């Protein structure tokens, strides 16, 4: 800043002005909040410093400039009292010494500084007072405006509340803590069929439905006592005409500022239609739409309620009923008539146990179940089952059709404690299956021992595929010997299951299961291939023996078109000559062959393998049909051989002997080889020789054994 000239030759010291302005700025920031930065404050005060100095050094009175600077301090919001005090005090000291150093001896300077101090303070005070007046006036105006706004907002709020209260589509009511109704809107009044004024004279307790009154008043009291701030329930109210209306009720408690209950506000919605719809939907969800009986969901819920109580006493019974042959009725007469029949049966079942109050439910299809609770013994459940069978078996007229219907029932009786829904229904289902298997139109009672046997059988069936994959099956072979010289001409391959837990299991326990599950095809192919491999080893070591291996072929295997290729591949992969393989088929499978199955037998024979009829004489054979079949051997069924007990006529069953004689003569007439099965005694063998039977097998000659026993016999090491 350049030096500033003045009359008398005195000037302002620029460096001193800057130092003073910096000190002034620091003092200002110490006194209170300043809305400017330090640099901005220092720049502002430097300008005031220079103006004051110039005013003091000029010929004009300094009061006007000093007063303007005092006002400008307030305008810049540097209005703390300490600011003006520091500014006035330092004019005669630091300001004079630093800024006006060159004019220190100027005549009249002290008087001009004093006048400047007074004018600066006066300007500051006037500006501060003016600003205070303006602020007070603004506050007063704001207060009046706020009051006016609050009053208008209150009026608007009350208007909006009244508009919402009166025009709401949902019922709203206000009541005192004693239940006296203070106000209600028109929707609430219309919902209950009262005029608004009449409701204002009632107590809410008079509107409670009789069935809900106690609980409602208790809930209302808990709300008043502060146990709840709000509650929401579905409750019934009485209309003025005495009818009931279902509502969705939400009640809130409004308190005074000190926390005391003031009044309650209830918001009420008429849900009568929705409630009735829910009831209909609930009924539909728990009842069969065709018969109207409880459905399986309701039945299981009810049964669970009985058996899932801890330490529940008593017994419970279940009658699981299934109509016999209902599918045939549906297929022949149509589903519409079948549905009408189900409705009639359902009505009969419900009527026959109505007096006892037992639950009858439709499980689905033509299955029904009766829950017999509170019984003393299984005889009580049997009585219910017999009553149900009698009701079902009565002649039924559906349209112009008169039908004879029967049913099968599985009965389960159990103590409630210790059982479960799953166990009861599993037992009932198994028992119903027993009743069906025993001839239908009957009942069967659950037997734990039989169930255990069935479970074991099911476990075996489930384990068959894994057992085959793990190689748990083995082959045993039983010799087939010549009745003339006792030489071993063939062996029959018999499969066994080397179970990891049950030990060696015979075919009578799993072959039937394999046939039921369809695994017999895979198992039979494994037997065929393993037998061919074993036979080829024997043929390699004992080529002169020409030992034939005989393999049973299941009916399902024989029916498959690929069986010829399977046999051919087994022979090729093992290297066994075809003439050393004999395939045994049951009589029913062979005698029923026609069309493609018959062609399959001829194709098998064309491979060079032998074909034998197993258990011959037990079926219903057309003997003339035998000559059309490419078979080489008949194996006589064991029961006929068992009838031949001794060499004397008195020791034998003449009928069995005559049958065997006739069958042997028939086979020889057809140029077929005859093998007798199940030969147990030397007497039987002797009679068979006398009847010219060719070969035989049975425990008399050797029981089935591993492949090693065949090798030992071929070597002449006969088993003891």
């Amino acid at each position: 800043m350049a030096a500033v000239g003045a009359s008398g030759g005195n000037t302002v010291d620029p460096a001193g002005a800057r130092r003073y302005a910096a000190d002034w700025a620091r003092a200002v920031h110490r006194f209170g909040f300043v809305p400017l930065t330090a640099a901005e404050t220092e720049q502002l005060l430097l300008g005031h410093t220079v103006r004051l100095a110039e005013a003091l050094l000029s010929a004009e009175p300094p009061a006007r400039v000093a007063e303007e600077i005092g006002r400008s301090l307030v305008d810049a919001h540097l209005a703390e009292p300490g600011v003006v005090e520091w500014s006035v005090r330092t004019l005669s000291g630091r300001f004079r010494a630093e800024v006006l150093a060159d004019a220190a001896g100027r005549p009249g300077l002290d008087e001009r500084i004093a006048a400047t101090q007074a004018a600066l303070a006066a300007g500051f005070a006037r500006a501060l007072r003016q600003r205070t007046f303006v602020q007070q006036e603004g506050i007063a105006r704001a207060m009046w405006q706020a009051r006016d706004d609050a009053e208008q907002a209150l009026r608007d709020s009350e208007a909006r509340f009244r508009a919402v209260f009166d025009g709401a589509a949902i019922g709203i009511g206000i009541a005192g803590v004693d239940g006296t109704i203070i106000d209600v809107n028109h929707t609430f009044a219309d919902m209950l069929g009262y005029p608004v004024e009449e409701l204002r004279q009632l107590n809410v307790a008079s509107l409670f439905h009789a069935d809900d009154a106690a609980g409602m008043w208790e809930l209302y009291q808990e709300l008043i006592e502060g146990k709840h701030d709000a509650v929401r329930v579905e409750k019934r109210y009485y209309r003025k005409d005495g009818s009931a209306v279902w509502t969705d009720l939400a009640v809130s408690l409004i308190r005074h500022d000190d926390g005391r209950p003031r009044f309650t506000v209830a918001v009420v919605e008429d849900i009568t239609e929705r409630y009735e719809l829910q009831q209909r939907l609930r009924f539909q969800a728990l009842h069969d739409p065709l018969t109207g009986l409880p459905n399986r969901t309701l039945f299981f819920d009810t049964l669970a309620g009985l058996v899932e109580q801890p330490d529940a006493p008593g017994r419970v019974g279940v009658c699981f009923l299934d109509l016999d042959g209902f599918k045939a009725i549906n297929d022949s007469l149509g589903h519409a008539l079948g549905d009408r029949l189900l409705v009639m049966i359902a009505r009969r079942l419900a009527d026959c146990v109505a007096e006892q109050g037992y639950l009858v439910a439709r499980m689905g299809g033509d299955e029904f179940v009766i829950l017999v609770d509170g019984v003393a013994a299984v005889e009580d459940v049997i009585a219910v089952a017999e009553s149900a069978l009698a009701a079902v078996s009565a002649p039924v007229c559906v349209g112009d059709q008169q039908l004879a219907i029967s049913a099968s029932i599985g009965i389960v009786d159990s103590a409630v404690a210790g059982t479960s829904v799953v166990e009861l229904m599993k037992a009932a289902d198994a028992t119903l299956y027993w009743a069906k298997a025993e001839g239908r139109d009957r009942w069967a009672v659950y037997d734990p021992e039989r169930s255990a046997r069935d479970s074991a059988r099911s476990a075996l069936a489930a384990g068959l595929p894994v057992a085959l994959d793990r190689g748990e099956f083995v082959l045993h072979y039983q010799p087939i010997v010549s009745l003339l010289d006792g030489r071993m001409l063939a062996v029959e391959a018999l499969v066994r299951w080397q179970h990891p837990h049950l030990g060696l299991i015979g075919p009578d326990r799993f072959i039937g299961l394999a046939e039921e599950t369809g695994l017999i095809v895979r198992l039979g192919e494994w037997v065929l291939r393993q037998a061919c491999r074993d036979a080829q080893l024997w043929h390699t070591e004992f080529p002169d023996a020409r030992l034939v291996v005989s393999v049973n072929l299941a009916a399902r295997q024989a029916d498959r078109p690929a069986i010829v290729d399977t046999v051919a591949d087994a022979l090729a992969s093992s290297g066994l000559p075809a003439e050393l393989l004999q395939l045994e088929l049951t009589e029913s499978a062979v005698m029923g062959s026609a069309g493609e199955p018959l062609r399959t037998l001829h194709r098998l024979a064309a491979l060079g393998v032998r074909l034998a009829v197993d258990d011959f004489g037990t079926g219903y054979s057309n003997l003339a049909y035998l000559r059309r079949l490419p078979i080489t051997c008949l194996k006589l069924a064991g029961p006929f051989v068992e009838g031949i007990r001794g060499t004397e006529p008195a020791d034998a069953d003449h009928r069995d002997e005559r049958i065997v004689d006739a069958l042997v003569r028939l086979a020889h007439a057809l140029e077929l080889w005859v093998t007798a099965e199940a030969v147990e005694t030397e007497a039987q063998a002797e009679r068979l020789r006398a009847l010219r039977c060719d070969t035989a097998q049975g425990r008399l000659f050797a029981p089935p054994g591993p492949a090693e026993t065949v090798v030992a016999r071929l070597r002449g090491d006969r088993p003891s």
Side-chain angles (χ1 to χ4, degrees), residues 177 224 226 253-263:
V177 293
I224 299 301
L253 178 65
I254 307 300
R255 299 179 181 274
H256 289 284
D257 292 340
D258 60 3
R260 290 178 295 111
R262 187 174 182 183
F263 53 82

Side-chain angles (χ1 to χ4, degrees), residues 475-482 487-494 530-532 534-536 538 545-552 576 580-584 610 635 675 695-697 702-711 713-714:
L475 288 185
H476 283 194
Y477 297 92
Q478 185 171 40
I480 300 175
V481 303
S482 169
R487 288 188 306 111
M488 182 172 62
L489 303 180
V491 290
E492 181 179 0
L494 301 170
Q530 184 62 43
C532 288
D534 288 344
Q536 175 56 26
W538 302 329
R546 305 295 293 173
L547 186 67
V548 175
V549 63
S550 189
V551 178
N552 290 282
L576 180 68
L580 297 184
L581 173 64
Q582 178 173 277
L583 300 177
E584 296 185 18
R610 306 182 183 201
K635 298 189 72 174
T675 299
T695 56
Q697 67 183 99
E708 294 79 8
T709 61
V710 177
V711 175
R713 189 174 183 111
L714 287 171

Side-chain angles (χ1 to χ4, degrees), residues 20 88-99 113 117:
Y20 179 82
V88 170
R89 177 171 49 81
T90 57
L91 280 176
S92 60
R94 187 180 302 173
F95 184 85
R96 180 173 183 170
E98 294 182 359
V99 181
I113 289 176
Q117 289 174 319

Side-chain angles (χ1 to χ4, degrees), residues 317-322 349 352-353 356 358 369-372 375 378-393 407-412 431 435 441-445:
V318 172
C319 296
F320 198 5
L321 180 148
D322 180 82
L349 291 175
C352 80
V353 298
Q356 294 93 337
Y358 299 142
V369 64
I370 303 173
L371 178 59
V372 187
V375 299
V378 69
E379 287 75 18
D380 297 331
V381 190
I382 292 174
V384 173
E386 290 178 341
S387 176
L389 285 179
V392 172
S393 62
S408 301
I409 298 181
I411 297 174
V412 178
T431 311
D441 191 19
R442 66 190 62 217
W443 50 262
V445 178

Side-chain angles (χ1 to χ4, degrees), residues 290-449:
L290 176 64
T291 64
L293 290 179
N295 61 11
R296 62 187 297 119
T297 300
L298 180 53
F299 170 78
F300 282 126
D301 288 346
T302 306
L303 181 57
L306 290 175
V307 303
E308 292 179 0
Q309 303 176 31
D311 301 324
R315 302 186 69 80
V316 64
V318 172
C319 296
F320 198 5
L321 180 148
D322 180 82
L323 299 181
D324 297 329
F326 180 74
K327 183 178 184 300
I329 295 176
N330 258 349
D331 293 343
S332 60
L333 301 179
H335 288 272
L337 188 142
D339 287 347
R340 293 172 61 188
L341 174 61
L342 288 174
V343 171
M344 296 181 68
I345 296 298
R347 188 179 302 119
R348 288 183 178 185
L349 291 175
D351 291 343
C352 80
V353 298
E355 293 183 359
Q356 294 93 337
Y358 299 142
L359 175 67
V360 180
R362 184 187 179 200
M363 298 297 283
D366 60 338
E367 292 181 341
F368 299 86
V369 64
I370 303 173
L371 178 59
V372 187
D373 59 318
V375 299
V378 69
E379 287 75 18
D380 297 331
V381 190
I382 292 174
V384 173
E386 290 178 341
S387 176
L389 285 179
V392 172
S393 62
V396 181
C397 291
V398 183
D400 57 352
Q401 299 285 338
Q402 181 167 342
L403 305 174
I405 303 298
S406 66
S408 301
I409 298 181
I411 297 174
V412 178
D413 165 68
S414 172
V416 174
T419 189
S420 69
V421 173
V422 173
E423 290 174 351
L424 281 173
M425 294 312 299
K426 181 181 178 182
D429 189 49
T431 311
L432 174 61
Y433 175 80
W434 298 345
K436 289 280 188 185
E438 290 168 3
R440 304 185 177 188
D441 191 19
R442 66 190 62 217
W443 50 262
V445 178
Y446 178 69
D447 178 4
E449 293 183 0

